[in-house]
């Protein structure tokens, strides 16, 4: 009898441990870590100066490279299509390989460990490295949204918030490991994200959605932890610029940041225990029933089951239904979504908004230099932008969710207002005063982060979750296109034009200087005035989308998921009852 009880107890412990590492909450924790390492592209302003000086690039060439970075970071159609036909672990594995390959080759070039690459090679390296970010997004973010569909706004806010913080997180970690060496930062963003993805590659997968009484409270707890992390990093950033830090102090700072990053693991264990205990209470009455229905074998499938429920129906529809889409909120096919007016408005609006934001972020280092800010001040501005990027992402996720559910205010309306906020930031750079770049970085970082979360959420709400991995990657294609037009063709050209004027005024030729540098308020005045006008136009475009979707957002957009959760809860309770009956027998 004692042996039987011991065996039963050991079985229960093993089941609970398996539930923890395979459960939704540990999956969420692992996803947060992966996303916290998926924003290395936002650090381009820190190490771009090394690329420019080491390889002798002018501003147009550097902006061309940053455009390929934006192209790689936002062209995620490949990762989306790959996710439709392969497991999530394979998507994350491919992303880890691309991340290491791209950034490691850049580090070899900047440190002169290989022969100086051609410009097209450097563009290819950074495009490959940045494109890995889409594989992290597709693997982790899309899976979390599918596992928590009723909390998608808050979930996306947290997930994109960690991406927004990643630049500042990397800064603290590289200070702790390498010291104040921006070239080593390139090496860090090459190996560290790849290592994190490999560790958790099998924990990220789609599951049957279920209810959890504390779900909102848990998400708010995660928000609290992330906010504490953001405030700590902001305090460390300011302190490190005011007071000289020893390597030991940097090491303690890095340990503190990592400790807070891993603290959600304790919440995951607590919530899995709560889920375990709650499920045991629910299944106890079911075990008393003599004739419990038997579940079919197909219920044992996990990831494939959820992602392919209606594959046959979609394939049978063919091309005849492209221009006959379902109602908003239902599952659109890829072509139905791409050929819809709503997607066109989303695409055009983000072409303006995200294109302007990417351009501003990529030029922030040179903006500070042109206005006479010292290098440390420029680094501080970039770090502050990363932190406010986080606040914008979580604000767009949590606050938009609250006002949507309580007041039925459409999410596109918030996006339209965010574009106007970015326009104000552009004007602060176009017409600067002492210290205005700090305020501009706050506005631009906040608006850029908010746009990211809102774009991902709006696509999921309007076009459904069935092909979400592909659709949100298609929608964000507008970002690199906008960045190319605005960054390379407008901002870069106008900057170089002003730099040429200053060079000619000194009676110097281009061959006499290593870098083509512009100094003064006029360097970015015209170009950022154009960005402000573009943001305003994007706001007007999104207002058209607001008018088209106001009826949809005025209804109950989460009803279908509540019905599905209720059905899944019944099946999970019956399954647990059967398992316990087998153990007791």
């Amino acid at each position: 009898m004692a042996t039987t009880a011991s065996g039963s107890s050991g079985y229960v412990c093993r089941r609970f441990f398996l539930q923890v590492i395979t459960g939704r909450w540990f999956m969420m924790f692992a996803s947060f870590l992966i996303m916290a390492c998926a924003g290395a592209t936002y650090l381009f302003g820190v190490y771009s100066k090394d690329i420019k000086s080491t390889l002798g690039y002018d501003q147009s060439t550097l902006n061309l490279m940053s455009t390929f970075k934006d192209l790689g970071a936002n062209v995620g159609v490949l990762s989306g299509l790959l996710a439709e036909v392969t497991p999530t672990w394979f998507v994350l594995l491919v992303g880890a390989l691309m991340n290491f390959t791209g950034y490691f080759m850049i580090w070899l070039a900047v440190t002169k460990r290989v022969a100086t690459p051609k410009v097209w090679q450097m563009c290819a390296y950074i495009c490959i490295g940045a494109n890995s970010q889409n594989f992290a997004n597709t693997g982790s973010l899309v899976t979390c949204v599918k596992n928590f569909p009723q909390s998608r706004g808050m979930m996306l806010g947290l997930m994109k918030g960690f991406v927004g913080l990643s630049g500042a997180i990397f800064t603290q970690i590289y200070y702790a490991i390498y010291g104040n060496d921006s070239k080593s930062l390139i090496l860090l963003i090459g190996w560290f994200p790849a290592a994190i993805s490999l560790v958790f590659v099998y924990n990220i997968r789609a599951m049957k959605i279920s209810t959890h009484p504390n779900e909102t409270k848990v998400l708010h707890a995660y928000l609290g932890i992330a906010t504490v992390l953001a405030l700590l990093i902001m305090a460390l950033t300011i302190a490190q610029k005011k007071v000289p830090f020893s390597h030991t102090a940097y090491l303690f700072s890095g340990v503190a940041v990592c400790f807070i990053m891993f603290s959600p693991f304790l919440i995951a264990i607590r919530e899995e225990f709560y889920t375990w205990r709650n499920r045991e209470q629910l299944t106890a009455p079911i075990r008393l029933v003599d004739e419990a229905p038997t579940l079919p074998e197909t219920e044992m499938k996990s990831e494939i089951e959820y992602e392919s429920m209606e594959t046959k129906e979609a394939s049978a529809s063919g091309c005849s239904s492209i221009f006959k889409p379902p109602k908003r909120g239902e599952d659109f096919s890829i072509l139905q979504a791409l050929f819809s007016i709503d997607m066109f408005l989303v695409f055009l609006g983000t072409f303006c908004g995200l294109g302007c934001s990417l351009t501003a972020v990529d030029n922030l280092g040179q903006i500070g230099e042109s206005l006479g800010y010292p290098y440390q001040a420029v680094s501080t501005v970039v770090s502050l932008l990363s932190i406010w990027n986080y606040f914008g992402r979580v604000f767009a996720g949590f606050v938009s969710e609250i006002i949507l559910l309580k007041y039925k205010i459409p999410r596109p309306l918030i996006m339209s207002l965010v574009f106007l906020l970015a326009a104000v930031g552009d004007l602060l750079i176009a017409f600067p005063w002492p210290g205005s770049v700090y305020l501009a970085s706050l506005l631009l970082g906040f608006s850029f982060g908010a746009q990211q979360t809102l774009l991902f959420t709006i696509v999921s709400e309007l076009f459904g979750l069935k092909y979400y991995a592909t659709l949100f990657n298609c929608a964000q294609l507008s970002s690199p296109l906008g960045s190319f037009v605005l960054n390379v063709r407008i901002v870069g050209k106008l900057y170089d034009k002003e730099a040429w004027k200053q060079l000619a005024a000194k009676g110097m030729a281009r061959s006499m200087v290593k870098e083509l540098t512009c100094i003064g308020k006029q360097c970015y005045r015209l170009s950022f005035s154009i960005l402000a006008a573009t943001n305003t136009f994007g706001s007007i475009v999104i207002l058209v989308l607001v008018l088209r979707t106001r009826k949809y957002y005025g209804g109950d957009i989460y009803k279908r998921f509540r019905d599905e959760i209720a059905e899944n809860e019944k099946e999970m309770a019956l399954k647990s009852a059967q398992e316990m009956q087998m153990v007791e027998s």
Side-chain angles (χ1 to χ4, degrees):
M1 182 69 67
T3 303
T4 303
S6 176
S8 178
S9 176
Y11 173 77
V12 170
C13 290
R14 288 193 299 272
R15 280 190 62 203
F16 177 68
F17 174 76
L18 186 63
Q19 176 173 320
V20 170
I21 63 174
T22 61
R24 288 200 307 163
W25 301 105
F26 186 83
M27 184 275 306
M28 183 194 295
F29 160 70
S31 297
F32 286 162
L33 291 183
I34 291 175
M35 297 301 285
C37 297
T41 53
Y42 304 128
L43 283 169
F44 185 75
V46 176
Y47 62 82
S48 62
K49 186 72 175 177
D50 292 315
I51 296 175
K52 186 176 181 181
S53 60
T54 303
L55 303 180
Y57 290 166
D58 58 20
Q59 190 61 34
S60 293
T61 303
L62 189 67
N63 281 7
L64 178 64
M65 189 174 173
S66 72
T67 298
F68 273 87
K69 169 188 68 69
D70 296 336
L71 185 69
N74 293 283
V75 179
V77 177
L78 175 61
S79 62
L81 294 175
L82 192 65
E84 304 288 354
V85 296
T86 64
T88 303
W89 64 263
F90 184 77
V91 176
L92 293 173
L93 188 64
V94 173
L97 179 62
M98 293 175 64
N99 185 90
F100 179 77
T101 301
Y103 287 110
F104 186 67
M105 293 304 298
I106 294 174
W107 177 75
L108 291 177
V110 171
T111 56
K112 297 295 186 179
R113 283 175 167 82
V114 295
T116 301
K118 297 179 180 178
V119 173
W120 71 265
Q121 290 175 311
M122 290 295 291
C123 290
Y125 296 153
I126 201 165
C127 185
I128 292 171
N131 193 245
S132 66
Q133 178 176 312
N134 293 292
F135 288 82
N137 275 337
T138 303
S140 300
L141 187 147
V142 173
T143 304
C144 276
V145 171
K146 289 184 176 181
N147 289 341
F148 297 87
Q150 285 187 286
S151 305
R152 72 181 71 176
M154 292 183 283
M155 179 61 64
L156 280 167
L158 283 171
M159 298 285 281
K160 299 301 290 183
F162 274 101
V163 176
L165 275 180
S166 62
I169 292 172
F170 269 114
T171 300
Q172 295 302 319
I173 294 176
Y174 105 80
Y175 279 156
I177 298 176
Y178 298 109
N180 194 9
D181 178 9
S182 56
K183 291 182 180 179
S184 295
L185 175 61
I186 304 174
L187 177 62
L188 179 68
I189 62 181
W191 69 264
F192 191 69
I196 293 294
S197 292
L198 291 177
V199 169
F200 297 108
V201 70
Y202 289 113
N203 297 103
I204 313 298
R205 71 195 192 287
M207 307 173 188
K208 274 187 170 293
I209 57 176
S210 60
T211 187
H212 188 81
N214 298 330
E215 185 168 303
T216 302
K217 292 182 179 179
V218 173
L219 291 173
H220 280 92
Y222 278 123
L223 173 63
I225 292 173
T227 302
V228 169
L229 179 61
L231 294 175
L232 172 64
I233 293 176
M234 184 167 63
L236 288 172
T237 300
I238 295 173
Q240 288 162 359
K241 304 307 176 185
K242 299 293 184 181
V243 180
F245 267 49
S246 65
H247 187 264
T248 302
Y250 280 129
L251 185 62
F252 277 108
S253 299
V255 170
V257 168
C258 290
F259 176 79
I260 297 177
M261 280 180 60
F262 281 85
S263 60
F265 176 59
L266 300 177
I267 297 179
I269 295 177
R270 184 192 70 188
E271 295 308 317
E272 288 297 346
F273 177 74
Y274 180 87
T275 301
W276 172 276
R277 187 179 60 183
N278 189 49
R279 190 173 297 168
E280 290 295 302
Q281 293 173 352
L282 288 174
T283 57
I286 297 177
R287 291 200 299 271
L288 298 177
V289 180
D290 292 332
E291 297 182 358
T294 304
L295 291 176
E297 288 185 11
T298 54
E299 298 299 333
M300 302 297 291
K301 299 179 182 179
S302 57
E303 182 173 359
I304 300 176
E305 172 187 320
Y306 181 85
E307 296 181 347
S308 60
M309 287 191 299
E310 300 175 350
T311 306
K312 292 182 180 179
E313 296 178 8
S315 61
S317 62
C319 297
S320 59
S321 63
I322 292 178
F323 299 104
K324 297 178 181 179
K327 296 180 180 179
R328 290 189 180 95
E330 297 182 5
D331 291 326
F332 281 57
S333 71
I334 296 175
L335 292 179
Q336 284 173 339
L338 294 182
F339 283 93
S340 68
I341 298 177
D342 288 349
M343 181 63 84
F344 172 76
L345 293 173
V346 170
F347 192 92
L348 181 58
T350 53
F351 174 91
C352 299
L354 282 175
C356 289
S357 294
L358 285 171
T359 299
V361 170
D362 289 342
N363 285 276
L364 202 57
Q366 280 68 42
I367 290 169
E369 181 185 36
S370 68
L371 296 176
Y373 287 73
Y375 177 78
Q376 286 188 339
V378 173
S379 180
T380 301
V381 168
V382 173
S383 295
L384 290 176
L385 182 141
S386 179
I387 293 168
W388 283 103
N389 191 347
Y390 158 78
F391 283 116
R393 290 165 190 253
V394 297
F395 172 88
F398 281 78
V399 176
S400 70
E401 189 82 7
I402 293 171
I403 64 176
L404 170 65
L405 295 177
K406 285 189 175 182
Y407 307 109
K408 303 299 181 182
I409 295 178
R411 252 185 266 262
L413 177 60
I414 303 173
M415 193 173 194
S416 178
L417 297 176
V418 165
F419 284 0
L420 294 178
L421 189 66
V424 175
D426 293 332
L427 291 175
L428 288 176
I429 294 176
F431 303 96
W433 66 79
S436 65
V437 173
Y438 291 101
L439 180 58
S441 69
L442 184 156
L443 296 177
L444 292 171
F446 184 90
S447 62
F448 182 42
Q451 290 172 46
Q452 292 274 346
T453 299
L454 290 169
L455 172 63
F456 281 51
T457 311
I458 290 170
V459 170
S460 73
E461 289 171 343
L462 297 182
F463 308 112
L465 296 177
K466 185 176 181 182
Y467 297 106
Y468 181 51
T470 301
L471 292 180
F472 89 79
N473 280 308
C474 289
Q476 69 175 4
L477 278 173
S478 58
S479 301
L481 293 176
S483 175
F484 175 77
V485 174
L486 298 168
N487 197 4
V488 178
R489 296 299 181 185
I490 296 177
V491 175
K493 294 293 185 182
L494 292 176
Y495 177 95
D496 286 342
K497 182 179 179 180
E498 290 294 333
W500 276 106
K501 288 181 181 178
Q502 294 182 4
L503 202 63
K506 296 177 182 178
M508 301 174 65
R510 175 66 179 90
S511 59
M512 299 172 65
V513 294
K514 189 175 183 179
E515 298 179 44
L516 191 59
T517 304
C518 180
I519 302 296
K521 297 180 180 180
Q522 72 279 6
C523 297
Y524 287 98
R525 174 159 294 169
L526 177 58
S527 59
F528 270 75
S529 296
I530 294 173
L531 294 187
T534 304
N535 264 316
T536 303
F537 175 74
S539 176
I540 296 172
V541 170
I542 296 299
L543 279 177
V544 178
L545 181 65
V546 173
L547 296 176
R548 288 178 53 84
T549 59
R550 66 187 186 280
K551 183 177 179 181
Y552 166 69
Y553 279 105
D556 186 357
I557 65 175
Y558 291 147
K559 182 181 183 302
R560 57 176 295 205
F561 297 105
R562 286 198 298 272
D563 295 340
E564 184 178 344
I565 286 173
E567 192 65 29
N568 289 342
E569 288 292 333
K570 294 178 183 178
E571 295 177 357
M572 292 170 67
L574 290 173
K575 181 179 177 181
S576 296
Q578 285 186 332
E579 291 177 349
M580 293 306 299
Q581 284 178 341
M582 293 175 60
V583 174
E584 292 172 356
S585 62

